[in-house]
Amino acid sequence: MSDKPDLLWQGFLGLWVLDPESCQYEQGDPPRAGSYRIEETPDGRLSFHMEWVDATGEEHKASFTGTPNGEPEPFAGGDLADSLSVTPVSARELNSAAFYKGQERMIASRQLDDTGGAMRLIQAVLLPDGTKPTNISIYVRAQ
């Protein structure tokens, strides 16, 4: 794996499957099942696709795309987020952050293990009262 900034995310590409037993949630209930797919688009952006089954059995999907350069760009997140950044920190860490009116609101850090076969996802919400509830889960590489 190269350490060139434009290739740092290569180890994250592919399909990942949630290990539900790994979930440590401070906000909300952990999902029963889930998957996470990260793809590179033809124009060099990264596309993130999440699917999960919540604690009640309801299915959900979400996705977003961002340029992996660390710079916030417009994002249609309503009153939750109006911009988003994707930052390849190293070959083993890929972060994203959501902002609303310039204030950082949410952070997601994806960290690969030594083998590249597991990805820890740490998601934190920055609340107005200064608290930062954090959810942690582990995904294993499916392909």
Side-chain angles (χ1 to χ4, degrees), residues 27-108:
Q27 185 177 47
D29 294 320
R32 291 182 184 176
S35 65
Y36 207 105
R37 186 168 33 93
I38 303 173
E39 303 173 312
E40 186 175 1
T41 66
D43 62 355
R45 300 176 84 212
L46 294 181
S47 187
F48 299 79
H49 306 275
M50 295 77 61
E51 295 186 15
W52 68 97
V53 178
D54 69 20
T56 68
E58 190 173 336
E59 295 182 7
H60 302 270
K61 292 182 181 183
S63 63
F64 67 91
T65 301
T67 305
N69 62 7
E71 297 295 323
E73 57 187 37
F75 177 73
D79 289 340
L80 294 177
D82 58 13
S83 63
L84 176 82
S85 67
V86 177
T87 306
V89 176
S90 71
R92 291 185 48 205
E93 185 174 351
L94 177 63
N95 296 340
S96 57
F99 303 84
Y100 185 70
K101 296 184 178 180
Q103 287 289 129
E104 191 173 49
R105 289 258 179 109
M106 293 173 263
I107 304 165

